[in-house]
Amino acid sequence: MYALVDCNSFFCSVEISFRPWLRGKPVCVLSNNDGCIVALTKEAKAVGLHRGDPVHQVRDIIERNDVTLFSGNMMLYSAMSKRVMSILARAATRIDVYSIDEAFLDLSDSGRYRDIAADMRALAAQVLQWTGIPVSIGVAPTRTLAKMGSRFAKEYPGYHSVCMIDSESRRLKALELFDLADVWGIGRRTVPKLAALGVKTPLDLARKPEEWVKRHFNVNMYRTWLELNGQSAIDTMEKAEKQTISTSRSFSHLTDDLEVIETGTANFAASCANKLRAQNSLAGRIGVCIMTSTFREDLPQHIEMLDMPLCIPTADTTELVHAALQLVRRLYRPGYKYKKTCVMLSDIIPAAGFQQDLFDPVSNRPERAALMHVLDDVNTRYGLHSLQFAVQTGHEAEWRSKHLHNSPDYLTNINEIPVANAR
DNA sequence: TCTGGGGTCCTAGGACCC
DNA sequence: TCTGGGGTCCTAGGACCC
């Protein structure tokens, strides 16, 4: 059996955990640039807001209902996620952290549990007490069914946070009632295709013959079909190193100023370099994409990407920034109002054991690697932008995203740690 | 005025090999 | 009239996930 533990409206729950007076109120967390709603409480849903709504289009709903807004604070959310995951890890022999707010627990060690439903309810209560984050848990013989269960647990308070799909009759009942579009692995594009083939519910799908599934769909759908029928077919191993690393941000304003675009792009390249070194890898290829705003039909559009091999795989910020700037200068065309750029690294290999190259144009690579170490150490200790390259600085107001509703870094910055007063 | 960001896997088709 | 067979590697695009 597997358990899927899902944090309810995770980003909102983290913010509320530090401001208990917001519990039961409409709260939203916004995307970069405070552009869209990316997470919302059920109270916010109830007043007519949806995930993905552009804030400027729902401004009146927000004001009328006194909805509290937060700019996304990923540092805070990942720190809280680690706390939740460490509590979950104590309750199972194996945990697969599937995303920032979800984890699969392997419950196959039956000697460990007295009564799985009761034990999982105790686990949910413990996470809530220790972190303030409410979770929903689904338990089933396959991961797809466990995800379904957690959804039922979230929607119906009667389950008290835990829904068990542990018998044939419960499985059939769940398949009949669950929304096909919400099945793990079935997305927007597939629902109409299934409907045209006469499949309206997960139960319809599960009852189709194996040959039918293989004929109409690919191996992913076949795996989902197996899982719905109670046969485990999808694994969620600990993810290895990333195969691609990218950073992209919308600018705070449209701009046709190459210097502004260069500054933003240099920062995105530096951010990619940080992520690359954090997983101890080197990149063999770099790409840059430049974009105007596709929402502005009144303006001419230019969206283009260029990429090139790096002569030696590297994780050196200077080299990556230099290459990114070369590419963005080639992409830039005067007369267009640009909205964002994206820097992408690929052909990623482990840094350990990489052979020196006889034709490497950089002669002092060991010294430069040491410099990168210092850079990372200083920035870890004193904050992300404490030490940076000159080319990354200036023009802040013209490109860096707006975050007008930021919450403090309660868990990662000693100066912003919450203070409790007791009398 | 304003519209997010970061990933993975699979498949079809082209280029190339013998 | 009629034009092999079998394989690999790469890329672009699509679909999915959070």
Side-chain angles (χ1 to χ4, degrees), chain A residues 155-290:
Chain A
E155 266 163 45
Y156 301 101
Y159 282 114
H160 300 290
S161 306
V162 178
C163 171
M164 308 285 294
I165 303 180
D166 56 348
S167 70
E168 184 60 6
S169 59
R170 285 177 179 162
R171 183 179 73 87
L172 294 175
K173 184 88 178 171
L175 289 177
E176 195 186 339
L177 296 176
F178 202 73
D179 190 346
L180 190 58
D182 291 335
V183 173
W184 193 34
I186 296 180
R188 298 195 109 64
R189 303 292 181 141
T190 312
V191 171
K193 186 174 171 189
L194 282 166
L197 292 165
V199 172
K200 309 277 195 234
T201 68
L203 187 60
D204 297 338
L205 177 58
R207 283 189 166 152
K208 286 287 180 190
E210 181 169 355
E211 283 317 309
W212 182 93
V213 177
K214 284 182 171 171
R215 189 164 69 246
H216 289 285
F217 296 94
N218 68 15
V219 57
N220 291 328
M221 178 64 87
Y222 176 56
R223 290 189 186 127
T224 296
W225 177 83
L226 285 171
E227 292 240 327
L228 291 177
N229 282 306
Q231 199 173 327
S232 192
I234 300 175
D235 204 352
T236 46
M237 302 293 277
E238 287 289 323
K239 273 156 232 139
E241 284 79 50
K242 302 229 180 310
Q243 300 167 31
T244 64
I245 287 174
S246 63
T247 299
S248 68
R249 291 282 181 283
S250 295
F251 304 140
S252 51
H253 309 285
L254 295 180
T255 180
D256 56 4
D257 183 339
L258 178 57
E259 226 177 281
V260 172
I261 296 168
E262 284 179 4
T263 311
T265 307
N267 275 277
F268 305 156
S271 148
C272 284
N274 289 342
K275 297 180 197 172
L276 191 60
R277 291 195 298 273
Q279 68 163 39
N280 232 319
S281 301
L282 306 173
R285 213 171 168 83
I286 183 167
V288 172
C289 181
I290 196 166

Side-chain angles (χ1 to χ4, degrees), chain A residues 17-35:
Chain A
S17 141
F18 293 98
R19 296 173 192 75
W21 56 90
L22 289 177
R23 197 154 287 142
K25 301 253 163 57
V27 172
C28 295
V29 171
L30 309 181
S31 67
N32 230 292
N33 237 357
D34 294 339

Side-chain angles (χ1 to χ4, degrees), chain A residues 125-414:
Chain A
Q126 189 168 66
V127 172
L128 182 64
Q129 189 187 349
W130 289 5
T131 65
I133 306 296
V135 299
S136 301
I137 304 180
V139 177
T142 71
R143 292 177 174 83
T144 305
L145 291 170
K147 287 205 61 140
M148 226 179 237
S150 80
R151 189 64 174 256
F152 282 119
K154 184 171 301 186
E155 266 163 45
Y156 301 101
Y159 282 114
H160 300 290
S161 306
V162 178
C163 171
M164 308 285 294
I165 303 180
D166 56 348
S167 70
E168 184 60 6
S169 59
R170 285 177 179 162
R171 183 179 73 87
L172 294 175
K173 184 88 178 171
L175 289 177
E176 195 186 339
L177 296 176
F178 202 73
D179 190 346
L180 190 58
D182 291 335
V183 173
W184 193 34
I186 296 180
R188 298 195 109 64
R189 303 292 181 141
T190 312
V191 171
K193 186 174 171 189
L194 282 166
L197 292 165
V199 172
K200 309 277 195 234
T201 68
L203 187 60
D204 297 338
L205 177 58
R207 283 189 166 152
K208 286 287 180 190
E210 181 169 355
E211 283 317 309
W212 182 93
V213 177
K214 284 182 171 171
R215 189 164 69 246
H216 289 285
F217 296 94
N218 68 15
V219 57
N220 291 328
M221 178 64 87
Y222 176 56
R223 290 189 186 127
T224 296
W225 177 83
L226 285 171
E227 292 240 327
L228 291 177
N229 282 306
Q231 199 173 327
S232 192
I234 300 175
D235 204 352
T236 46
M237 302 293 277
E238 287 289 323
K239 273 156 232 139
E241 284 79 50
K242 302 229 180 310
Q243 300 167 31
T244 64
I245 287 174
S246 63
T247 299
S248 68
R249 291 282 181 283
S250 295
F251 304 140
S252 51
H253 309 285
L254 295 180
T255 180
D256 56 4
D257 183 339
L258 178 57
E259 226 177 281
V260 172
I261 296 168
E262 284 179 4
T263 311
T265 307
N267 275 277
F268 305 156
S271 148
C272 284
N274 289 342
K275 297 180 197 172
L276 191 60
R277 291 195 298 273
Q279 68 163 39
N280 232 319
S281 301
L282 306 173
R285 213 171 168 83
I286 183 167
V288 172
C289 181
I290 196 166
M291 277 159 276
T292 48
S293 171
T294 49
F295 293 102
R296 293 294 300 271
E297 286 170 15
D298 54 321
L299 292 176
Q301 299 288 316
H302 177 212
I303 298 173
E304 195 178 348
M305 159 159 181
L306 264 181
D307 73 334
M308 64 178 189
L310 293 152
C311 52
I312 304 287
T314 182
D316 188 299
T317 303
T318 36
E319 285 177 87
L320 293 169
V321 167
H322 181 75
L325 289 179
Q326 267 182 278
L327 291 170
V328 82
R329 281 177 199 134
R330 280 167 58 195
L331 286 167
Y332 171 82
R333 289 194 218 144
Y336 290 90
K337 296 281 192 187
Y338 290 103
K339 178 60 178 169
K340 70 163 146 185
T341 62
C342 171
V343 176
M344 276 161 289
L345 304 179
S346 51
D347 287 4
I348 289 172
I349 57 166
F354 178 69
Q355 291 279 321
Q356 276 273 321
D357 191 300
L358 189 58
F359 303 104
D360 190 347
V362 176
S363 56
N364 57 342
R365 209 161 274 280
E367 286 85 347
R368 290 174 60 159
L371 177 65
M372 288 301 118
H373 258 293
V374 172
L375 181 76
D376 293 337
D377 285 348
V378 170
N379 286 337
T380 304
R381 196 152 158 194
Y382 299 102
L384 202 54
H385 302 290
S386 308
L387 200 53
Q388 53 185 358
F389 290 85
V391 66
Q392 291 174 251
T393 62
H395 306 289
E396 279 286 310
E398 286 133 285
W399 67 272
R400 197 179 288 285
S401 311
K402 284 173 284 207
H403 297 267
L404 299 178
H405 311 280
N406 250 329
S407 55
D409 288 326
Y410 291 117
L411 297 178
T412 49
N413 184 339
I414 194 70

Side-chain angles (χ1 to χ4, degrees), chain A residues 53-93:
Chain A
D53 285 344
V55 173
H56 71 95
Q57 284 175 9
V58 291
R59 188 62 74 187
D60 52 327
I61 302 184
I62 290 169
E63 278 161 20
R64 226 176 23 243
N65 297 281
D66 200 20
V67 178
T68 306
L69 302 181
F70 291 98
S71 303
N73 181 344
M74 289 311 293
M75 295 259 283
L76 180 63
Y77 309 150
S78 16
M80 186 62 100
S81 173
K82 277 186 197 144
R83 294 186 178 202
V84 172
M85 298 307 169
S86 73
I87 298 167
L88 300 182
R90 301 147 54 112
T93 34

